[in-house]
Coordinates of all heavy atoms in Angstrom, one line a residue:
G692 N -87.5 61.9 -40.5 CA -87.2 60.5 -41.0 C -88.3 59.8 -41.7 O -88.2 59.2 -42.6
L693 N -89.6 60.1 -41.2 CA -90.8 59.7 -41.9 C -90.9 60.3 -43.2 O -91.2 59.6 -44.2 CB -92.0 59.9 -41.0 CG -92.2 59.2 -39.7 CD1 -93.4 59.6 -39.0 CD2 -92.2 57.7 -39.9
E694 N -90.6 61.5 -43.3 CA -90.7 62.2 -44.6 C -89.7 61.7 -45.6 O -90.0 61.6 -46.8 CB -90.6 63.7 -44.4 CG -91.7 64.4 -43.8 CD -91.5 65.9 -43.4 OE1 -90.3 66.2 -43.2 OE2 -92.4 66.6 -43.3
R695 N -88.5 61.3 -45.1 CA -87.5 60.7 -46.1 C -88.0 59.3 -46.6 O -87.6 58.9 -47.6 CB -86.2 60.5 -45.4 CG -85.3 61.8 -45.2 CD -83.9 61.6 -44.8 NE -83.8 61.2 -43.4 CZ -83.9 62.0 -42.3 NH1 -84.1 63.3 -42.5 NH2 -83.7 61.4 -41.1
K696 N -88.9 58.7 -45.9 CA -89.5 57.5 -46.3 C -90.7 57.7 -47.1 O -91.5 56.8 -47.4 CB -89.8 56.6 -45.1 CG -88.7 56.1 -44.3 CD -89.2 55.3 -43.1 CE -88.0 54.9 -42.2 NZ -87.3 53.8 -42.7
R697 N -91.0 58.9 -47.5 CA -92.1 59.4 -48.3 C -93.4 59.2 -47.6 O -94.5 58.9 -48.2 CB -92.1 58.7 -49.6 CG -90.9 58.8 -50.4 CD -91.1 59.6 -51.7 NE -90.0 59.7 -52.6 CZ -89.2 60.6 -52.7 NH1 -89.2 61.6 -51.9 NH2 -88.2 60.6 -53.6
M698 N -93.5 59.4 -46.3 CA -94.7 59.4 -45.5 C -95.2 60.8 -45.3 O -94.3 61.7 -45.1 CB -94.5 58.6 -44.2 CG -94.1 57.3 -44.4 SD -93.9 56.4 -42.7 CE -93.7 54.7 -43.1
Q699 N -96.4 60.9 -45.2 CA -97.1 62.3 -44.9 C -97.0 62.6 -43.5 O -97.4 61.8 -42.6 CB -98.5 62.3 -45.4 CG -99.3 63.5 -45.1 CD -98.8 64.8 -46.0 OE1 -98.5 64.5 -47.1 NE2 -98.7 65.9 -45.3
V700 N -96.5 63.7 -43.0 CA -96.3 64.1 -41.7 C -97.0 65.4 -41.5 O -96.8 66.4 -42.3 CB -94.7 64.2 -41.2 CG1 -94.6 64.6 -39.8 CG2 -94.1 62.8 -41.5
D701 N -97.7 65.5 -40.3 CA -98.2 66.8 -39.9 C -97.7 67.1 -38.5 O -97.7 66.2 -37.6 CB -99.8 66.7 -39.7 CG -100.5 68.0 -39.5 OD1 -100.5 68.8 -40.4 OD2 -100.9 68.2 -38.4
Y702 N -97.1 68.3 -38.4 CA -96.4 68.7 -37.1 C -97.5 69.4 -36.3 O -98.0 70.5 -36.7 CB -95.2 69.5 -37.3 CG -94.1 68.7 -38.1 CD1 -93.9 68.7 -39.4 CD2 -93.2 68.0 -37.3 CE1 -93.0 68.0 -40.0 CE2 -92.2 67.1 -38.0 CZ -92.1 67.2 -39.3 OH -91.2 66.4 -40.0
A703 N -97.7 68.9 -35.1 CA -98.7 69.6 -34.2 C -97.9 70.3 -33.0 O -97.0 69.7 -32.4 CB -99.6 68.5 -33.5
D704 N -98.3 71.6 -32.9 CA -97.6 72.4 -31.8 C -98.3 72.1 -30.6 O -99.6 72.0 -30.5 CB -97.8 73.9 -32.2 CG -97.0 74.3 -33.4 OD1 -95.8 73.7 -33.5 OD2 -97.4 75.1 -34.2
A705 N -97.5 71.9 -29.5 CA -98.1 71.5 -28.2 C -98.1 72.7 -27.4 O -97.1 73.4 -27.2 CB -97.2 70.4 -27.6
V706 N -99.3 73.0 -26.9 CA -99.4 74.1 -25.8 C -98.8 73.6 -24.6 O -99.0 72.4 -24.2 CB -100.9 74.5 -25.7 CG1 -101.0 75.5 -24.5 CG2 -101.5 74.8 -27.0
S707 N -98.0 74.4 -23.9 CA -97.3 74.0 -22.7 C -98.1 73.4 -21.6 O -97.9 72.5 -20.9 CB -96.3 75.1 -22.3 OG -97.1 76.2 -21.8
D708 N -99.3 74.0 -21.5 CA -100.3 73.7 -20.5 C -101.1 72.5 -20.9 O -101.9 72.7 -21.8 CB -101.1 74.8 -20.0 CG -102.2 74.6 -19.0 OD1 -102.1 73.5 -18.4 OD2 -103.1 75.4 -18.8
K709 N -101.0 71.4 -20.3 CA -101.7 70.2 -20.7 C -103.3 70.4 -20.7 O -103.9 69.8 -21.5 CB -101.3 68.9 -20.1 CG -101.5 68.9 -18.5 CD -100.9 67.6 -18.0 CE -100.6 67.7 -16.5 NZ -99.9 66.5 -16.0
V710 N -103.8 71.0 -19.7 CA -105.2 71.2 -19.6 C -105.7 72.1 -20.8 O -106.7 71.8 -21.4 CB -105.6 71.8 -18.2 CG1 -107.1 72.2 -18.2 CG2 -105.2 70.8 -17.1
A711 N -105.0 73.1 -21.1 CA -105.3 74.0 -22.1 C -105.2 73.2 -23.5 O -106.1 73.4 -24.3 CB -104.4 75.2 -22.2
R712 N -104.3 72.3 -23.6 CA -104.1 71.6 -24.8 C -105.4 70.6 -25.1 O -105.9 70.6 -26.1 CB -102.8 70.8 -24.7 CG -102.5 70.0 -26.0 CD -101.1 69.5 -26.0 NE -100.6 68.8 -24.7 CZ -99.6 69.1 -24.0 NH1 -98.9 70.2 -24.3 NH2 -99.3 68.4 -22.9
V713 N -105.8 70.1 -24.0 CA -107.0 69.2 -24.0 C -108.3 70.0 -24.3 O -109.1 69.6 -25.1 CB -107.2 68.3 -22.8 CG1 -108.4 67.6 -22.8 CG2 -106.0 67.3 -22.8

Side-chain angles (χ1 to χ4, degrees):
L693 294 175
E694 289 171 332
R695 282 192 292 279
K696 294 176 184 284
R697 304 250 189 261
M698 294 180 176
Q699 178 68 39
V700 177
D701 186 72
Y702 295 94
D704 292 323
V706 178
S707 59
D708 176 14
K709 60 182 158 182
V710 175
R712 186 166 47 238
V713 170

